[in-house]
Coordinates of all heavy atoms in Angstrom, one line a residue:
Chain H
P260 N -29.8 -10.9 7.2 CA -30.7 -11.8 6.6 C -30.2 -12.1 5.1 O -29.6 -11.3 4.5 CB -32.0 -11.0 6.5 CG -31.7 -9.6 6.8 CD -30.4 -9.6 7.5
V261 N -30.5 -13.4 4.7 CA -30.1 -13.8 3.4 C -31.4 -13.7 2.6 O -32.4 -14.3 3.0 CB -29.6 -15.2 3.4 CG1 -29.2 -15.7 2.0 CG2 -28.3 -15.3 4.3
P262 N -31.4 -13.1 1.4 CA -32.6 -13.0 0.6 C -33.0 -14.3 -0.1 O -33.3 -14.3 -1.3 CB -32.3 -11.9 -0.4 CG -30.8 -11.9 -0.5 CD -30.3 -12.4 0.8
N263 N -33.0 -15.4 0.7 CA -33.5 -16.7 0.1 C -34.1 -17.4 1.3 O -33.3 -17.8 2.2 CB -32.3 -17.4 -0.4 CG -32.7 -18.8 -1.0 OD1 -33.7 -19.4 -0.5 ND2 -31.9 -19.3 -1.9
P264 N -35.4 -17.6 1.4 CA -36.0 -18.1 2.5 C -35.5 -19.5 3.0 O -35.4 -19.7 4.2 CB -37.5 -18.2 2.1 CG -37.6 -17.4 0.9 CD -36.3 -17.3 0.3
R265 N -35.1 -20.3 2.0 CA -34.7 -21.7 2.3 C -33.4 -21.6 3.1 O -33.2 -22.2 4.2 CB -34.6 -22.5 1.1 CG -34.9 -23.9 1.4 CD -35.5 -24.8 0.4 NE -35.7 -24.3 -0.9 CZ -35.0 -24.8 -2.0 NH1 -34.1 -25.7 -1.8 NH2 -35.3 -24.4 -3.2
I266 N -32.5 -20.8 2.6 CA -31.2 -20.7 3.2 C -31.3 -20.0 4.6 O -30.8 -20.4 5.6 CB -30.2 -19.9 2.3 CG1 -29.9 -20.7 1.0 CG2 -28.8 -19.7 3.1 CD1 -29.0 -20.0 0.1
Q267 N -32.1 -18.9 4.5 CA -32.4 -18.1 5.7 C -32.9 -19.0 6.9 O -32.4 -18.9 8.0 CB -33.3 -17.0 5.4 CG -33.8 -16.2 6.7 CD -32.6 -15.3 7.2 OE1 -31.6 -15.1 6.6 NE2 -32.8 -14.9 8.5
R268 N -33.8 -19.9 6.6 CA -34.4 -20.7 7.6 C -33.4 -21.8 8.2 O -33.4 -22.1 9.3 CB -35.7 -21.5 7.1 CG -36.9 -21.0 7.7 CD -38.2 -21.6 7.1 NE -38.7 -20.7 6.1 CZ -39.1 -21.1 4.9 NH1 -38.9 -22.3 4.5 NH2 -39.6 -20.2 4.0
S269 N -32.6 -22.3 7.3 CA -31.7 -23.3 7.7 C -30.4 -22.7 8.4 O -29.6 -23.5 8.9 CB -31.2 -24.2 6.5 OG -30.5 -23.4 5.6
R270 N -30.3 -21.4 8.4 CA -29.0 -20.8 8.9 C -29.0 -20.9 10.4 O -30.0 -20.8 11.1 CB -28.9 -19.4 8.5 CG -28.2 -19.3 7.1 CD -28.0 -17.9 6.6 NE -28.4 -16.9 7.5 CZ -27.7 -15.8 7.7 NH1 -26.7 -15.6 7.0 NH2 -28.2 -14.9 8.5
Q271 N -27.8 -21.0 11.0 CA -27.6 -21.0 12.4 C -27.4 -19.5 12.8 O -26.4 -18.9 12.4 CB -26.3 -21.8 12.8 CG -26.6 -23.3 12.9 CD -27.0 -23.6 14.3 OE1 -26.5 -23.0 15.3 NE2 -28.0 -24.5 14.5
R272 N -28.2 -19.0 13.6 CA -28.0 -17.6 14.1 C -27.3 -17.7 15.4 O -27.6 -18.5 16.3 CB -29.3 -16.9 14.3 CG -29.8 -16.2 13.0 CD -30.6 -14.9 13.4 NE -29.8 -14.0 14.2 CZ -30.3 -12.9 14.8 NH1 -31.6 -12.7 14.7 NH2 -29.5 -12.1 15.4
I273 N -26.3 -16.9 15.5 CA -25.6 -16.7 16.8 C -26.2 -15.6 17.6 O -26.1 -14.4 17.2 CB -24.1 -16.4 16.6 CG1 -23.4 -17.5 15.7 CG2 -23.4 -16.3 18.0 CD1 -22.0 -17.1 15.3
V274 N -27.0 -15.9 18.6 CA -27.7 -14.9 19.3 C -26.9 -14.5 20.6 O -26.6 -15.4 21.4 CB -29.1 -15.3 19.7 CG1 -29.8 -14.2 20.5 CG2 -29.9 -15.7 18.5
L275 N -26.4 -13.3 20.6 CA -25.6 -12.9 21.8 C -26.5 -12.6 23.0 O -27.6 -11.9 22.8 CB -24.9 -11.6 21.4 CG -23.8 -11.7 20.3 CD1 -23.2 -10.3 20.0 CD2 -22.8 -12.7 20.7
P276 N -26.2 -13.1 24.1 CA -27.0 -12.8 25.3 C -26.7 -11.3 25.7 O -25.6 -10.8 25.6 CB -26.4 -13.7 26.4 CG -25.0 -14.0 25.9 CD -25.0 -13.9 24.4
G277 N -27.8 -10.7 26.2 CA -27.7 -9.3 26.8 C -27.4 -8.2 25.8 O -27.5 -8.4 24.6
D278 N -27.2 -7.1 26.4 CA -26.9 -5.9 25.5 C -25.5 -5.5 25.6 O -24.7 -6.0 26.4 CB -27.8 -4.7 26.1 CG -29.2 -4.9 25.7 OD1 -29.5 -5.4 24.6 OD2 -30.1 -4.5 26.6
I279 N -25.2 -4.5 24.7 CA -23.8 -4.0 24.7 C -23.7 -3.3 26.1 O -24.5 -2.6 26.5 CB -23.6 -3.0 23.5 CG1 -22.2 -2.6 23.4 CG2 -24.6 -1.8 23.6 CD1 -21.9 -2.0 22.0
P280 N -22.5 -3.5 26.8 CA -22.4 -2.9 28.2 C -22.3 -1.4 28.1 O -22.0 -0.9 27.0 CB -21.1 -3.5 28.7 CG -20.8 -4.7 27.8 CD -21.4 -4.4 26.5
S281 N -22.6 -0.7 29.2 CA -22.5 0.7 29.2 C -21.1 1.2 29.0 O -20.2 0.7 29.7 CB -23.1 1.3 30.5 OG -22.7 2.6 30.6
P282 N -20.8 2.1 28.1 CA -19.5 2.6 28.0 C -19.0 3.4 29.3 O -17.9 3.7 29.4 CB -19.5 3.5 26.8 CG -20.9 3.8 26.5 CD -21.8 2.7 27.2

Side-chain angles (χ1 to χ4, degrees):
Chain H
V261 178
N263 179 334
R265 214 151 2 113
I266 300 177
Q267 173 70 18
R268 246 174 264 132
S269 65
R270 272 176 10 136
Q271 276 272 321
R272 272 210 60 187
I273 305 171
V274 179
L275 296 177
D278 286 323
I279 190 164
S281 163

